[in-house]
Amino acid sequence: MAVTLTPAAAARVRSYLAETPGGIGLRFGVRKSGCTGFAYVVDIAKAAGPDDSVFETDGVAVRVDAASLPQVDGTEIDFVSQGLNQQFVFRNPRVSAECGCGESFSTDADQAA
């Protein structure tokens, strides 16, 4: 599988990269958080990690560390605008549960552990 960007997300990341000296792509992963287990982490990558998997969409590199990959593999990242609000949206086929506020998620593998 792979982590992919929609055209809107790729355009938004390219604009962030243009404003970030030394940016080499998007860093995408997870951290332990919330009542359900994991929260997404998105930032501009400024250096390659030794265990990064790199997925490219429309010329934009998405870097995912080895520890995060099992939770996010297959995710499509979109960028949506609704009224005055703009945000990245994650369509992750591995998600099996989310907390009520939408802050955290878990996968079947997490729940079995």
Side-chain angles (χ1 to χ4, degrees), residues 2-3 28-30 53 55 64-74 94:
V3 174
F28 179 58
V30 296
S53 292
F55 306 98
V64 181
D65 65 273
S68 296
L69 189 57
Q71 285 81 28
V72 301
D73 197 16
R94 298 187 179 277

Side-chain angles (χ1 to χ4, degrees), residues 23-101:
I24 61 170
L26 183 73
R27 177 150 310 279
F28 179 58
V30 296
R31 63 177 166 77
K32 291 211 178 247
S33 178
C35 55
T36 309
F38 293 97
Y40 296 109
V41 177
V42 179
D43 201 358
I44 295 298
K46 292 188 177 180
D51 62 352
D52 283 351
S53 292
V54 182
F55 306 98
E56 191 168 317
T57 303
D58 292 335
V60 177
V62 179
R63 299 181 151 309
V64 181
D65 65 273
S68 296
L69 189 57
Q71 285 81 28
V72 301
D73 197 16
T75 299
E76 177 187 65
I77 303 171
D78 195 4
F79 186 77
V80 298
S81 297
Q82 296 175 332
L84 298 176
N85 297 320
Q86 297 180 330
Q87 65 183 356
F88 285 105
V89 174
F90 309 101
R91 295 183 189 100
N92 184 344
R94 298 187 179 277
V95 170
S96 60
E98 294 179 298
C99 68
C101 68

